[in-house]
Amino acid sequence: VTKPVSSGYLASLWDAASVRRQRTSLLELADRFGKWFTVGAVGIAVLGGMFWLPDVGMALTALSAVLIIACPCALTLAAPATLGTAMAVLGRRGTFVKNIGVLLDIAATDTIVFDKTGTLTATAHDLSWIGQNLDESKRSAIAGVAMQSTHPVSRSIERLLGISGAVVSDVAEHVGAGISGTVDGKVVAIGSSAFAGGGATAADAAAYVSIDGRMVGTFVMRPRLREGVRDLVTSLRSAQEVYLVSGDSERDAPLFRDTFGSDRMRFGASPFDKINVLEQLGSSGGHTMMIGDGLNDAGGMRAARVGVAVSDETSTLVPACDVIIGGDHLRDIAPLIGYARRLRDLIRFSLVFSMVYNVIGVALAVSGALTPVVVAIMMPISSLIVTAVSVLGARWFGRQAIWAS
């Protein structure tokens, strides 16, 4: 209402990611091949017809046979048929991909950056309150301000204190710092120690709370890792570089040190820091994947080759993401990458098969061994074979990867 959307903080995070994604080379090749193939087929047909002159009958037979059997359909069908089927297989598992090209980008992934809160940890945190006794009005005011944010800690505070009917005005959320709002003329701030107005730093503090600039207490968090997180990261590290970049303090570092390694973790990172990390990793040749859960990860997802949004609630969907995966399916990331690589190999097989089929067919057509009627029957066979291999292969590899049909 007060200024253009383009001037907003989230828009600045999006624009800050200067890396522009390019189309996957395999898809670009498939798109361009139709033109090359058509020019080549017409050229071979004309030359083949000229070869048989002055036998006009054989010249026309060879010319017609080449034009009929030389069909790029199978080549252009290989990628869409394979990847389109895979998108449906993944959707049934609860993993949603923006477009087919993303799957090939996933297959090329060699560097993965995780956010922490709400991504590796469950959105429902175990919180306890340390501080002043809260009467009903203070509880309602704190819960009312917490309800204005989609941050996992804010949602946990709301669950702990209960639904509030407080009327909150002048809400201001500072990504990576905290949120504040006015309730009954009093300013309530929830967030980091610096944001809330000072106070002793607790090693396991999730959020500090102040009312009118005076500290009233701290929500202490006992983080809960999502099921299978340790096994997931260990599995990914066997074939990819894996990092943890979080905006939170280092209070949870010991929880992840054995899993990631001290040199692969960074805490206290702002959303712009995440963008810089992704751009640096990408500029050194890495095919990066950013896995996060909140809007403050939008810039990092934009900077990465693939952005994966871990979502437990629709309110935290990130427009910049390429993949949406449910929080209870986070452990499927490793099988997803393996599945994408098998799909890439399947497409390559289909392309090679189609090329060989066309080369043999065109050679026989030029030699006069095939009549136009025969090649009219043979022409669709390659397309049917490629389509069958693509669809059935994508489903088979999906079942092998763990996704049930």
Side-chain angles (χ1 to χ4, degrees):
V1 174
T2 60
K3 60 183 177 180
V5 172
S6 59
S7 300
Y9 182 74
L10 292 175
S12 69
L13 292 181
W14 186 295
D15 293 337
S18 59
V19 174
R20 292 291 177 257
R21 297 176 187 165
Q22 301 175 349
R23 285 206 59 167
T24 306
S25 58
L26 190 58
L27 284 182
E28 289 181 339
L29 175 62
D31 289 344
R32 293 196 304 262
F33 193 85
K35 182 193 297 183
W36 301 342
F37 190 91
T38 300
V39 172
V42 172
I44 292 173
V46 171
L47 292 175
M50 294 174 62
F51 173 81
W52 285 102
L53 291 176
D55 188 338
V56 176
M58 281 301 297
L60 291 176
T61 296
L63 176 67
S64 302
V66 170
L67 291 177
I68 293 173
I69 200 170
C71 178
C73 298
L75 290 161
T76 55
L77 280 173
T82 302
L83 301 177
T85 301
M87 287 180 68
V89 172
L90 292 172
R92 289 195 292 271
R93 178 68 182 180
T95 299
F96 303 96
V97 181
K98 179 185 290 185
N99 57 59
I100 60 174
V102 171
L103 289 168
L104 295 178
D105 287 332
I106 292 173
T109 297
D110 56 24
T111 305
I112 300 174
V113 176
F114 280 98
D115 175 43
K116 180 180 73 70
T117 304
T119 303
L120 297 176
T121 61
T123 54
H125 298 86
D126 293 329
L127 293 180
S128 59
W129 171 254
I130 297 178
Q132 301 176 8
N133 290 328
L134 299 177
D135 57 29
E136 187 60 32
S137 64
K138 289 181 180 179
R139 289 175 63 93
S140 179
I142 295 171
V145 172
M147 289 173 62
Q148 310 305 311
S149 172
T150 61
H151 192 280
V153 173
S154 296
R155 295 199 296 272
S156 295
I157 293 173
E158 176 191 338
R159 281 189 286 267
L160 178 66
L161 298 181
I163 299 297
S164 170
V167 177
V168 184
S169 61
D170 300 326
V171 176
E173 183 168 13
H174 301 268
V175 180
I179 186 170
S180 63
T182 301
V183 180
D184 294 332
K186 296 180 179 180
V187 178
V188 178
I190 306 172
S192 66
S193 175
F195 179 81
T201 301
D204 56 353
Y208 294 83
V209 180
S210 68
I211 298 178
D212 281 341
R214 299 178 60 184
M215 295 293 297
V216 295
T218 304
F219 287 101
V220 176
M221 176 177 66
R222 291 181 295 277
R224 290 189 294 156
L225 293 181
R226 291 188 187 274
E227 182 181 355
V229 161
R230 297 187 189 280
D231 292 339
L232 167 64
V233 175
T234 300
S235 174
L236 291 173
R237 289 185 65 183
S238 64
Q240 289 88 202
E241 298 288 334
V242 183
Y243 298 87
L244 171 61
V245 182
S246 173
D248 294 336
S249 69
E250 296 186 11
R251 63 178 179 268
D252 295 330
L255 190 63
F256 297 97
R257 186 170 290 119
D258 292 340
T259 304
F260 285 89
S262 299
D263 59 331
R264 299 300 174 93
M265 298 190 300
R266 178 175 176 179
F267 294 91
S270 71
F272 289 103
D273 291 333
K274 293 181 181 180
I275 293 173
N276 291 334
V277 169
L278 268 300
E279 290 186 340
Q280 289 172 6
L281 293 172
S283 64
S284 60
H287 286 74
T288 54
M289 173 185 288
M290 169 71 190
I291 304 177
D293 78 308
L295 289 173
N296 60 327
D297 295 320
M301 291 183 188
R302 176 72 172 169
R305 189 67 184 243
V306 178
V308 180
V310 179
S311 178
D312 292 291
E313 301 175 13
T314 56
S315 61
T316 59
L317 296 184
V318 181
C321 69
D322 301 291
V323 181
I324 298 172
I325 188 168
D328 55 342
H329 291 297
L330 179 64
R331 62 185 180 276
D332 290 348
I333 291 292
L336 171 62
I337 295 174
Y339 182 38
R341 289 171 179 166
R342 289 192 171 189
L343 294 173
R344 180 181 59 188
D345 294 339
L346 181 61
I347 293 171
R348 288 172 175 169
F349 169 80
S350 297
L351 291 174
V352 171
F353 167 81
S354 186
M355 281 294 298
V356 171
Y357 187 97
N358 274 278
V359 167
I360 294 175
V362 168
L364 292 174
V366 169
S367 70
L370 300 176
T371 65
V373 173
V374 173
V375 296
I377 297 173
M378 292 179 60
M379 185 271 290
I381 292 178
S382 62
S383 297
L384 292 173
I385 292 176
V386 168
T387 300
V389 169
S390 299
V391 172
L392 296 178
R395 290 180 176 175
W396 169 257
F397 287 136
R399 287 195 294 270
Q400 293 296 305
I402 68 164
W403 287 286
S405 60

